[in-house]
């Protein structure tokens, strides 16, 4: 199955966005804390966020094996294949494997208990192959070992560097500015001492392995009852119980306003080469304004270069530790007397919320990233995009993916291959049950992308409303 040439040597510069050959075994398992995952509407359909990888079938020597807990609507598959010059030929190199398991649990855990599916996987993997997980855990490592294929992602032995505490350690090693704070807190005494040691009336406490902001609380030091939890139904008692089990950090709460929330996407290849792929401004929501909702590309010009430079130093440190794969970094940015300053917030050592918008825009437009300007360029023109994971409306519930796609295309809001602008949709499978989907609006300017995005939202909640 694997050639005699070491994988890291043969594919030293491997990019999952631009593979020249081989089999991509996509396992978008949500191997994350399930208590927080259950708070996300339609979480199971987040397995569909990596379907943009079907566009890699443009290369004739590439095969994609895509696994999901439940079957993907055939019209969704057809939608992605329609981005390719020869959809019928590409479909011959696509294997879709569903476990028919509707329960919300990690896909990989279910897969490992299904020997018949594992046997099928063995039979469909051809030539050199690599496993692409949404997040790498012991489950994904066990699966890769059973299939005898390498994993495109950081080893679990390095997972600490993607935790809130590990992020602070890496940030210090990279010489990147951060908010004042304390990491690796595992007792109530340590947490309380850290809270009292920091200035200000409020602090932010984060679970080591929280994600999408759901493991955070903004704590009022003088009156805990005024604290604001990002996750609904959380209390200080339940939160500290998780902190004692999983570890936490306590940081000063940045009161400065306006405050901006840029992020960076980077990768380290199997050969150890690191590079920044993109910067974004995150769109946040939730009670504390720290739950990921979507993003815009690129990050604002005022702090884009600063964020990119910090991300590059962090990527260099992580490459030196042996990290492989995609990862994201979140920052705070604020205007000071000396200009804009960017502070590292956290490192997400996995595929994150900005990965699928970036991948969709990159593969749909055929653009390349220019690190000097921080722009995606296609045919000499910059490409901008605005993306959301959380477009939902009661009028969308019960609609089929095909119905919605046909409507937006009829109204001129689909993707235009000639201008390389328009919308690329995702999370379409969540429509019938939850009335929810996501989309990436691509334009030749920031204004064009934003206007298309706003117009598409109006259409989805207007033209699709019951007459």
């Amino acid at each position: 199955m694997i050639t005699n040439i070491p994988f890291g040597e043969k594919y030293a510069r491997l990019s999952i966005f631009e593979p020249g050959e081989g089999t991509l075994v996509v396992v978008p398992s949500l191997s994350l804390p399930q208590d927080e995952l259950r708070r996300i509407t339609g979480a199971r359909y987040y397995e569909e966020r990596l379907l943009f990888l079907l566009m890699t079938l443009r290369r004739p020597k590439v095969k994609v094996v895509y696994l999901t807990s439940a079957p993907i609507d055939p019209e969704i598959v057809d939608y992605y294949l329609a981005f390719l010059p020869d959809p019928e030929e590409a479909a011959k190199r696509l294997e879709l494997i569903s476990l028919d398991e509707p329960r919300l649990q990690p896909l990989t855990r279910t897969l490992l208990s299904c020997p018949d599916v594992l046997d099928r996987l063995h039979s469909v993997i051809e030539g050199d192959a690599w496993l692409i997980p949404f997040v790498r855990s012991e489950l994904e490592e066990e699966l890769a070992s059973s299939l005898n294929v390498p994993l495109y992602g950081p080893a679990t032995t390095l997972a600490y560097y993607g935790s809130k505490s590990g992020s602070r350690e890496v940030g210090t090693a990279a010489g990147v500015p951060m908010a004042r704070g304390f990491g690796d807190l595992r007792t109530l005494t340590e947490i309380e001492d850290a809270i009292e040691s920091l200035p200000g009336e409020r602090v932010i406490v984060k679970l080591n392995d929280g994600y999408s902001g759901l493991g955070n609380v903004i704590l009022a030091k003088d009156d805990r009852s005024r604290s604001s939890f990002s996750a609904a139904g959380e209390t200080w008692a339940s939160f500290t119980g998780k902190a004692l089990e999983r570890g936490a950090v306590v940081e000063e709460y940045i009161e400065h306003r306006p405050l901006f929330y840029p992020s960076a996407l980077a990768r380290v290849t199997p050969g150890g080469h690191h590079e920044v792929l993109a910067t974004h401004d995150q769109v946040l929501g939730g009670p504390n304004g720290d739950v990921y909702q979507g993003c815009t590309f690129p990050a604002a010009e005022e702090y884009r270069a600063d964020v990119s430079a910090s991300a590059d130093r962090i990527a260099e440190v992580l490459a030196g530790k042996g990290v492989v794969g995609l990862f994201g970094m979140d920052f705070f940015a604020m205007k000071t007397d000396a200009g804009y300053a960017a502070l590292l917030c956290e490192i997400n050592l996995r595929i994150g919320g900005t990965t699928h918008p970036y991948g969709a825009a990159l593969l749909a437009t055929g653009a390349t990233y220019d690190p000097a300007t921080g722009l995606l360029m296609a045919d000499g023109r910059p490409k901008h995009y605005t993306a959301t994971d959380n477009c939902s409306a009661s009028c969308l519930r019960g609609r089929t993916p095909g119905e919605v796609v046909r409507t937006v295309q009829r109204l001129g809001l689909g993707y235009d291959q000639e201008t390389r602008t328009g919308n690329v949709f995702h999370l379409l499978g969540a429509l019938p049950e939850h009335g929810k989907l996501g989309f990436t609006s691509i334009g030749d300017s920031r204004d064009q992308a934003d206007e298309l995005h706003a117009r598409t939202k109006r259409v989805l909640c207007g033209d699709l409303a019951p007459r």
Side-chain angles (χ1 to χ4, degrees):
M1 188 180 304
I2 303 298
T3 64
N4 292 327
I5 303 175
F7 182 82
E9 180 180 332
K10 183 174 182 179
Y11 296 102
R13 293 289 184 123
L14 174 66
S15 165
I16 66 168
F17 303 111
E18 300 161 318
E21 61 180 2
T23 301
L24 282 67
V25 184
V26 186
V27 185
S29 179
L30 302 176
S31 302
L32 296 162
Q34 298 296 294
D35 57 335
E36 293 167 28
L37 193 62
R38 291 186 181 93
R39 303 177 191 271
I40 299 176
T41 300
R44 179 168 64 83
Y45 296 98
Y46 279 59
E47 292 179 356
E48 296 182 6
R49 289 201 298 183
L50 299 187
L51 282 172
F52 71 85
L53 289 172
L54 270 58
M55 296 187 208
T56 63
L57 292 167
R58 185 183 309 272
R59 302 289 184 94
K61 294 183 179 180
V62 171
K63 180 176 182 177
V64 174
V65 180
Y66 201 104
L67 291 101
T68 51
S69 298
I72 302 173
D73 187 317
E75 289 192 304
I76 297 177
V77 178
D78 291 343
Y79 169 72
Y80 285 99
L81 293 180
F83 283 87
L84 306 179
D86 190 345
E88 291 186 5
E89 196 282 328
K92 298 175 183 177
R93 291 177 280 111
L94 172 64
E95 292 281 348
L96 298 173
I97 299 178
S98 166
L99 304 185
D100 292 318
E101 175 51 74
R103 291 179 300 168
L104 184 60
Q105 68 170 344
L107 164 67
T108 313
R109 177 176 291 136
T110 306
L111 177 57
L112 288 169
S113 66
C114 299
D116 55 330
V117 180
L118 291 175
D119 288 342
R120 182 182 172 190
L121 264 177
H122 277 288
S123 68
V124 300
I125 293 175
E126 301 174 357
D128 287 344
W130 50 93
L131 194 151
I132 302 172
F134 176 75
V135 59
R136 179 168 173 168
S137 72
E138 290 84 356
L139 296 172
E140 284 70 40
E141 290 183 339
E142 183 180 348
L143 175 62
S145 177
S146 69
L147 296 174
N148 191 30
V149 297
L151 260 170
Y152 189 82
T156 55
T157 54
L158 302 172
Y160 170 76
Y161 299 114
S163 71
K164 304 300 186 291
S165 297
S167 297
R168 294 191 62 85
E169 183 175 319
V170 172
T172 299
V176 172
M178 295 178 288
R180 287 172 289 185
F182 302 89
D184 284 323
L185 307 177
R186 296 188 176 274
T187 69
L188 282 177
T189 299
E190 290 176 338
I191 292 172
E192 293 292 346
D193 287 347
I195 291 171
E196 295 306 318
S197 297
L198 291 171
E201 297 179 355
R202 296 187 289 179
V203 298
I204 184 166
V205 188
K206 307 175 185 177
L207 298 177
N208 253 352
D209 58 355
Y211 56 92
S212 292
L214 293 173
N216 298 349
V217 55
I218 298 175
L219 195 70
K221 295 168 70 172
D222 61 343
D223 184 359
R224 301 290 168 85
S225 66
R226 293 192 296 110
S227 299
S228 181
F229 295 89
S230 295
E234 196 78 87
T235 66
W236 181 239
S238 64
F239 186 89
T240 52
K242 296 175 184 178
L244 298 182
E245 179 183 349
R246 291 145 60 175
V249 302
V250 176
E251 295 176 342
E252 64 176 321
Y253 180 73
I254 300 176
E255 304 281 0
H256 187 101
R257 295 295 182 275
L259 192 62
F260 306 95
Y261 305 94
S263 69
L265 179 66
R267 70 172 164 222
V268 179
T269 69
H273 174 74
H274 73 275
E275 60 185 328
V276 176
L277 301 177
T279 63
H280 296 88
D281 274 316
Q282 298 182 90
V283 179
L284 304 178
N288 291 337
D290 58 0
V291 177
Y292 180 83
Q293 303 289 310
C295 64
T296 62
F297 170 91
E301 188 174 4
E302 290 84 352
Y303 44 77
R304 186 189 311 161
D306 193 18
V307 169
S308 184
S310 290
D312 185 69
R313 294 199 297 273
I314 292 168
E316 183 178 13
V317 170
L318 291 172
K321 294 182 180 298
V323 165
V324 171
L326 293 162
F327 52 93
M329 295 151 276
D330 296 340
F331 295 83
F332 299 117
M334 65 191 80
K335 188 175 183 179
T336 68
D337 292 339
Y340 281 84
L343 307 179
L344 174 66
C345 175
E346 64 186 45
I347 299 168
N348 297 302
L349 213 53
R350 56 175 172 77
I351 287 175
T354 61
T355 306
H356 53 284
Y358 171 80
L362 187 80
L363 291 170
T365 65
T368 57
Y369 181 70
D370 179 6
T373 62
L375 297 173
L376 281 174
M377 303 298 296
D379 291 335
R381 305 179 70 176
K383 295 297 176 181
H384 298 247
Y385 57 82
T386 303
T388 181
D389 275 345
N390 290 276
C391 177
S392 60
S394 59
C395 65
L396 293 174
R397 191 174 293 115
R399 304 284 181 168
T400 68
E403 180 184 2
V404 171
V405 167
R406 285 189 292 272
T407 298
V408 296
Q409 289 176 336
R410 173 175 55 82
L411 296 173
L413 298 174
Y415 182 76
D416 187 321
Q417 298 279 4
E418 185 174 338
T419 64
R420 304 192 193 192
T421 61
N423 286 305
V424 181
F425 290 87
H426 60 274
L427 290 179
L428 289 164
L431 277 167
E433 183 179 357
H434 301 285
K436 177 180 178 178
L437 79 165
F439 58 97
T440 301
S441 304
I442 306 168
D444 291 331
S445 68
R446 169 84 281 122
D447 288 345
Q448 185 182 25
D450 285 344
E451 193 279 331
L452 172 62
H453 199 72
R455 183 154 48 97
T456 304
K457 279 189 173 181
R458 290 195 299 271
V459 166
L460 289 171
C461 299
D463 283 54
L464 287 173
R467 295 286 190 251

